[in-house]
Amino acid sequence: MTARDQIRGQHRGQARAGDLLELVRSGRATTRGALQQATGLSRATVGQRLDRLFRAGWLREGAGGPVDSPLGGRPSITLEFDDEHAVVLAADLDTRHARAALLTLTGEILAERAGVLVVEDGPDVVLGALGGWFAELLDKADRPARSVCGIGLAVPGPVDSETGLVVQPPIMPGWDGYDIRGRLSRAFAEHTGGPAGVPVLVDNDANLMAYGEQRTGYPDCSAFVLVKVSTGIGAGVVVDGSVFRGIDGGAGDIGHIRVGAEALCRCGSYGCLAAVASGWAVARRLTESGVEAASGSDVRELLAAGHPEAVGLAREAGRQVGDVLATVVTLLNPGVLMIAGDLAGTPFLTGVRELLYQRALSRSTARLEIVTSRLGERAGLVGAGALVVEHLYAPERVEERLRALGV
């Protein structure tokens, strides 16, 4: 059953303004006549629903469409989602640095900045600093704070998507159970002079990277897996266009699968994959051999310079991750497996391929594409922005927001 059939079946004759907006945004119905056919609503009722969306500034009329009747006549006026009525702020935190951006509702980056932000400094300091970054971005793009409809944040730890709380994060000391949404919303208002209570959505960085990459590069892939290998290791899974998070946000935490090694992980356990194959683990081994490296980003710089020991360790790490991914691929049967993060270069990817194809069922890999990131360091930002837009313009939330606007 198609999405149009679902709307028609569930809401025939009673589709809400939010349902009509969804049909227009998705391109499934972009004229008044097509909306009548899809929903079963009368012409007058469709007009009333659309009038609310026009008054909110969320819809606009586009060019005339083709004339469907063989008798000719005037072309139908097409309807378009007006992506200029608001903007979205997004930020992507890593352990020692961060990126932030101002985006349109369709994901175009209007302004961007990156810099040092250390998660170990704690949520109050980091989120307060992001508020200042947001003010700079709005100034740079010449956009008023009142135009921001929501904020998306990617963090390097497991997140309960219902509450927005980070849950027992191995590499984010002081963040467990902290009210990220409230603090970031206040920081935005304090630094920009914008309205209080701007919606904030928080999710794991690998989840949002996967969401951004799948939507922009592989929209037809029904099972997509992204593995981020930086200071830690995490995976994001997108199934049928939605992020799979598990019961409480813990899905994809492959960095803490036990692989039989004796190395102590930053989570406090021994033998985790992240303890032997993450950017942090490779940096530690390089340091022990006399090569200065403190994090995954340092390893990335060494790999870019062709440092032979870093190249060898990255390939070895890739083999260890590939061994685990053989099980992931056999279980999920994805169409695309994307490798991203600080270690996502040729040596690491070579190691992944070696073990993955050796260990996984041939049926599971017959149609599998193994690729590297298309969006690079912007993937988390694009995913965070998309998460906010899909949340705020979901049919049921559209109704709430229209009522709040008095239309």
Side-chain angles (χ1 to χ4, degrees), residues 53 65 67 154 160 162 229 273 304 312 335:
L53 297 171
V67 178
D160 184 328
E162 291 296 319
V229 187
L273 178 64

Side-chain angles (χ1 to χ4, degrees), residues 89 91 93 98 100 113 116-119 121-137 151 153 155 175 178-193 200:
L89 284 163
L93 296 180
R113 72 153 292 176
V116 175
L117 273 184
V118 182
V119 294
D121 288 343
D124 190 58
V125 171
V126 171
L127 298 175
L130 283 180
W133 287 21
F134 291 160
E136 294 176 23
L137 292 171
I151 300 171
L153 178 66
V155 298
W175 291 73
Y178 185 87
D179 180 18
I180 295 175
R181 289 176 176 174
R183 177 67 181 102
L184 190 53
S185 183
R186 291 192 301 274
F188 164 78
E190 291 165 2
H191 285 274
T192 68
V200 175

Side-chain angles (χ1 to χ4, degrees), residues 16-22 24 48-60 398-399 402 407:
R16 304 159 296 181
D19 296 316
L20 270 60
L21 183 64
E22 175 66 18
V24 173
Q48 291 169 357
R49 303 280 198 273
L50 292 178
D51 181 60
R52 299 177 68 200
L53 297 171
F54 279 116
R55 282 188 285 150
W58 299 351
L59 277 187
R60 65 188 172 202
V398 163
E399 294 302 314
L402 288 174
V407 299

